[in-house]
Amino acid sequence: MAGIVDFDISYPSATADIRAMHRASGVAVAELARITHCESFPVLAEGEQAWELALGAARSVLGRTGVETSRIRQVVYAGSGEWDRPFWSPAAKVADGLGISGAHCFEVTNFCNAGMTALRLLSAAGALEDDAYALVLVGDRLSRMVDYGDPDSKALFNFGDAAAAVLLAGGDGRFRILRSAMRTDGGWSDYYAGERTDGRVLIRRAAHRKGLADAYVRHFTSLVDETLEALGRERHEIDHFLINHGDRDMHHRLLDTLGIPVERSVFNYDRLAHMGGADTLIALGDLERADRLRRGDLIMLATSAMGFSWGITTLEYLG
């Protein structure tokens, strides 16, 4: 298995504000606040590119670690597949910007679960040599695909933007990747889809359908238990449980179902909305900066994505 050596987050320069959303959609500010849980959050500015944010995060990581670009064998860009340009490789663009010339560059599309999917692929046996490194870039432009003028899309108004860069090593890093477990329920595949409108891809939801919240709890709980059984551990041994910030109520419901105290998770809803695939990495960084991690801590990253896919990525903190 591979290990995470270092990672960093990069935020865009603009913000989305629920008062502007109210003016565009007609949805009451109070109702929007119940969706976003904060008045404003980071989004891409006009003309700002997601790949540039990923490049900035990667530069910070490489600058801190001092890893030579010649030792990076793979560069993977993970997200929704709606990149800054169509029919184009953001992984290759970032690699070129970093001066990485000997790596295989490619993309992984699994929406907000894509970053953890990339970690899963690269941590498989034989995927990365012991003396080599890989760079996983998480970057999307979710806010640019939300139609604030459509009140039926209000559930998506909490979509913000952030990019992350994760440096993996063939051996152990600060975080050892213990296990990755994922699954998809294709019965929800058409619930959300993109629609091309005036040169933009806008996300639209199909007619409301009950059961998605139950599916979240069911699949996450099953993946957690499957992981714990494989590791020979129990639920009470989970030191930190971090989840995508799509729905605060779901966050609490899942913790309650698993019997995990809220103190063992991170809640950033007061300052950030759903920052795409970077959510759990933002929370992980918050834990480390707050000195809440101890060597040997068992950390689970719970990620979900349109499609619908769910994943549990389990780490051990080595310090």
Side-chain angles (χ1 to χ4, degrees):
M1 300 292 280
I4 297 174
V5 178
D6 197 7
F7 64 96
D8 200 29
I9 310 294
S10 181
Y11 295 97
S13 61
T15 57
D17 188 281
I18 60 175
R19 287 170 289 271
M21 296 176 192
H22 160 68
R23 291 191 293 271
S25 66
V27 179
V29 171
E31 185 175 356
L32 292 172
R34 287 193 292 270
I35 295 170
T36 64
H37 305 296
C38 55
E39 292 187 355
S40 63
F41 50 88
V43 296
L44 290 165
E46 190 69 35
E48 199 166 25
Q49 305 288 298
W51 76 266
E52 293 175 323
L53 296 182
L55 175 63
R59 280 179 172 154
S60 295
V61 168
L62 295 182
R64 279 198 303 267
T65 60
V67 171
E68 297 178 0
T69 56
S70 60
R71 300 182 66 188
I72 298 176
R73 299 288 184 264
Q74 300 185 69
V75 178
V76 184
Y77 197 102
S80 69
E82 284 296 331
W83 315 127
D84 297 293
R85 299 174 66 186
F87 202 72
W88 176 75
S89 173
K93 183 67 173 179
V94 173
D96 184 61
L98 295 169
I100 299 172
S101 59
H104 175 211
C105 304
F106 61 97
E107 288 70 41
V108 169
T109 299
N110 197 213
F111 305 94
C112 295
N113 191 51
M116 295 302 115
T117 301
L119 294 188
R120 183 183 193 186
L121 293 172
L122 293 171
S123 61
L128 198 58
E129 297 174 357
D130 289 343
D131 61 345
Y133 293 86
L135 192 60
V136 173
L137 309 163
V138 180
D140 250 319
R141 43 198 301 277
L142 295 181
S143 72
R144 309 297 294 172
M145 294 185 281
V146 176
D147 183 0
Y148 296 126
D150 176 19
D152 290 336
S153 296
K154 63 185 179 183
L156 307 177
F157 285 11
N158 67 335
F159 280 14
D161 303 307
V166 182
L167 182 65
L168 291 181
D172 292 335
R174 291 212 317 276
F175 300 88
R176 178 187 292 141
I177 301 175
L178 297 180
R179 196 172 191 274
S180 174
M182 296 181 177
R183 69 176 51 154
T184 300
D185 185 344
W188 294 93
S189 59
D190 292 326
Y191 197 48
Y192 285 99
E195 174 184 282
R196 297 194 181 277
T197 304
D198 298 327
R200 294 175 60 193
V201 173
L202 299 175
I203 305 169
R204 303 293 188 196
R205 193 194 73 186
H208 178 65
R209 172 184 163 193
K210 293 182 178 180
L212 186 56
D214 293 335
Y216 265 79
V217 174
R218 182 174 67 254
H219 288 299
F220 270 141
T221 300
S222 177
L223 290 169
V224 166
D225 289 341
E226 172 190 317
T227 296
L228 292 172
E229 182 178 0
L231 296 176
R233 309 290 285 269
E234 297 182 6
R235 288 184 182 181
H236 68 85
E237 297 180 80
I238 301 171
D239 295 292
H240 307 282
F241 191 84
L242 311 179
I243 183 173
N244 276 8
H245 275 43
D247 185 326
R248 188 173 65 181
D249 292 339
M250 174 56 61
H251 194 153
H252 280 286
R253 179 180 171 185
L254 185 57
L255 292 176
D256 288 344
T257 300
L258 293 169
I260 298 174
V262 294
E263 295 79 13
R264 295 189 184 184
S265 194
V266 173
F267 293 80
N268 283 322
Y269 300 93
D270 61 323
R271 65 185 183 91
L272 295 172
H274 174 35
M275 310 308 290
D279 274 345
T280 54
L281 292 168
I282 292 170
L284 187 60
D286 289 345
L287 286 176
E288 196 165 27
R289 282 187 296 273
D291 196 29
R292 291 175 58 188
L293 296 178
R294 297 293 178 266
R295 184 174 178 84
D297 274 2
L298 188 70
I299 307 164
M300 285 190 170
L301 310 183
T303 50
S304 57
M306 291 181 183
F308 264 79
S309 293
W310 292 269
I312 294 291
T313 304
T314 306
L315 311 175
E316 179 186 2
Y317 183 61
L318 301 179

